[in-house]
Structures are given as structure tokens and as C-alpha cells.
Amino acid sequence: MPELPEVEVNRENLERWLSGKKIRRAVVRDRKVAGGKPVRKLVAALAGARVVSVSRRAKHLVLDLGSRGKVLAHLGMTGKFLLRRKTDVDPPGTRVVLELAVGERVVFQDVRRFGHFKLLDRQGEALLETLGVEPLSKEFSPRLLEALLRETRLPVKLFLMDQRRVAGLGNIYAAEALFLAGIHPSRPAQRLSREQARRLHAAIRRTLKESLAEARAPEITYVEEPEAENPFRVYGREGEPCPRCRQPIRRLPQGGRSTFFCASCQRR
Ligand SMILES: [Zn+2]
């Protein structure tokens, strides 16, 4: 499932394919993608628009169409943007097609249909305003993380997944960062020491940067896809040996999701 690094790779690709380019025509193949808003408004805003830039906020993408407004895109569970040339067929699960003036097209593929591609409205702006600090920004310091941790008794894994606190981490990178930092996922956020907060800060940056470097590709693959290899240290590795101590990785249900951790490297 796409989290910050995968969304950032989609952003980089879109920036390269779309920035400064004119969209000749847009086709929406699935009304659900527009989030219940009229598809004709979306199509009208896109047709003939020149893309100024593509930015990212947490797991959201924003396509700036200048005077035509902005598009807010979320990849959901399986969404991805792909570049197709004239003779290529659109992949299964294509929801939106953006035809470019040069005969190329950018398609939004989303097999599970949890993603969206819609005009940025007040509701969308309000959502973006609730998001917490970007973990790869300068603003995200060990001191800031420590202060945020002090604010809640939530288990630290759920703290990390709360988009209003630190934005962009999901189930995968929260588990990976806690493993790297040697912190048990159930530990209340407030109870982390200054040293643990510092280690967690470094671990978050490291796991995001590593994955960003590895995920860069014109056709990104998510770990849940059948042909994908699992590049993670603990995520999805229940029963496999811990890369550090060789004890079996355990799975813990937490907040309706599975957390993967090593009970010996991440003590309570
Ligand atoms: Zn271990």
C-alpha cells in the first residue's frame, strides 16, 4: 500500500511527465474516482489545462492547473500513475486518462478503487490543513518529535500512523521505523525517553529515505502485488528470522492492522 516514499515516487514521475505540459483531453472511466462530485467539472477543468506543478502533502498529491484550479489525488491501496505511448493499451483498472498534446497519455490505474482523483475543494483544503509535520522536512527535528510524543498516551505505532501528528507514515513504515529504533510498538508514546525519541527520529528518516531510493521507477510496484519482492526488515515477515537476532518475527494486531516486530530486539 503506498505510503510517503511510494507517493513521492508517483509525484516525481508526474512532475516529469506533466509539468509544463498541456492536457489535451481527460477521460474519467470510473465516476467513483471523482469522490461523488460531477465528473464533467473535473473533465472541463483538465481539458486544455497546462500543469504548473505536482506537489505532495503526506500521502496526497496536488496537481496545480493554474487558473483551472487544482486536482487532489490519493492512491488509496493500489493507485498509481503510468505513462502510456500511442500504441500501448491502457492497463486493467484504468480510472482516468490524461491525453497529452504530444500523443502520450498519463493514466491513473487503481485496481481496488480506494483511490481518488478529484478537484480540490474547500473540504479537500480543510483535510490538507489537518495534516501534521512532514517527516522529511527540516522542521521535523528530534526535539519536535519528542514534543509530539509527549502529547499522547497512544501506543507509539498508532501515534506514528496518525496523520495529524506525523504525516505520511502508514502501517509499513511505522513498523520498520520502530524495529530500526528498537522500540516496542505498544509502548505508550508519552513513555519514550529522550534517547528513544532521538533514535526513532533517525529511524523514520532512514527507512523513508532508503525506500524512496529503492522505489524510484517509471512503473512503481507495491509490496502487496504478486510479482513484488518484500524489501522490508520486519513488515510482512511473521515467523521469519529477525535480521538482527534471528528470533522469529511476530505479528501483533493493533488498531485493526497487523504490526510486525521482534520481541527480543523491541522489548516492552
Ligand atoms: Zn531481533
Side-chain angles (χ1 to χ4, degrees):
M1 207 152 116
E3 298 182 24
L4 191 155
E6 295 81 16
V7 179
E8 179 61 19
V9 171
N10 275 281
R11 188 203 68 76
E12 290 173 356
N13 288 343
L14 281 177
E15 178 80 37
R16 208 168 54 243
W17 299 333
L18 289 179
S19 199
K21 301 258 178 76
K22 196 169 173 181
I23 297 169
R24 197 161 54 95
R25 194 169 78 108
V27 181
V28 175
R29 298 243 178 98
D30 179 5
R31 307 189 70 80
K32 191 181 179 233
V33 83
K37 297 278 159 59
V39 165
R40 60 179 167 75
K41 273 196 178 177
L42 174 64
V43 167
L46 287 162
R50 197 172 287 279
V51 180
V52 177
S53 64
V54 183
S55 57
R56 180 188 59 77
R57 181 72 175 95
K59 295 185 244 177
H60 306 268
L61 291 167
V62 178
L63 278 70
D64 185 350
L65 307 176
S67 59
R68 300 292 190 92
K70 289 176 179 168
V71 168
L72 182 66
H74 194 280
L75 305 175
M77 293 177 75
T78 54
K80 60 177 78 172
F81 289 93
L82 302 165
L83 184 67
R84 285 293 178 265
R85 316 264 175 197
K86 245 177 190 166
T87 54
D88 298 337
V89 290
D90 291 336
T94 293
R95 306 295 167 204
V96 180
V97 180
L98 305 175
E99 295 180 8
L100 305 179
V102 287
E104 293 173 341
R105 60 200 191 278
V106 168
V107 306
F108 178 54
Q109 180 203 32
D110 184 14
V111 175
R112 297 283 304 271
R113 301 174 74 214
F114 286 100
H116 61 236
F117 187 92
K118 59 189 183 186
L119 285 171
L120 178 63
D121 55 10
R122 287 234 181 91
Q123 203 184 346
E125 280 167 5
L127 167 78
L128 294 179
E129 277 165 24
T130 65
L131 296 169
V133 63
E134 285 286 332
L136 291 178
S137 68
K138 276 191 184 147
E139 189 195 350
F140 183 64
S141 62
R143 193 180 285 262
L144 176 60
L145 177 61
E146 193 188 348
L148 292 169
L149 286 161
R150 294 283 167 266
E151 288 174 1
T152 177
R153 291 193 52 77
L154 270 180
V156 62
K157 165 89 184 318
L158 301 184
F159 162 89
L160 289 175
M161 290 172 65
D162 184 346
Q163 301 301 301
R164 294 165 302 176
R165 300 173 195 272
V166 179
L169 300 176
N171 203 34
I172 297 174
Y173 294 102
E176 293 290 299
L178 288 168
F179 172 75
L180 277 176
I183 296 166
H184 194 284
S186 299
R187 192 171 176 85
Q190 263 179 2
R191 299 271 308 280
L192 264 66
S193 66
R194 172 162 292 184
E195 169 57 21
Q196 284 178 316
R198 194 192 58 73
R199 284 212 311 264
L200 182 57
H201 176 270
I204 291 168
R205 296 256 200 167
R206 182 174 158 196
T207 185
L208 291 177
K209 284 183 183 170
E210 276 179 0
S211 291
L212 183 54
E214 276 169 27
R216 277 199 181 101
E219 302 226 348
I220 192 167
T221 307
Y222 303 134
V223 66
E224 298 83 0
E225 293 178 49
E227 67 274 25
E229 285 191 22
N230 182 353
F232 301 112
R233 291 177 173 88
V234 291
Y235 177 80
R237 295 199 183 277
E238 184 184 14
E240 292 179 36
C242 165
R244 197 178 285 155
C245 74
R246 314 310 290 172
Q247 292 292 307
I249 298 295
R250 294 202 196 163
R251 190 173 66 85
L252 171 77
Q254 227 185 352
R257 308 287 295 276
S258 284
T259 293
F260 299 90
F261 73 109
C262 172
S264 130
C265 295
Q266 296 165 266
R267 292 184 185 279
R268 254 180 206 279

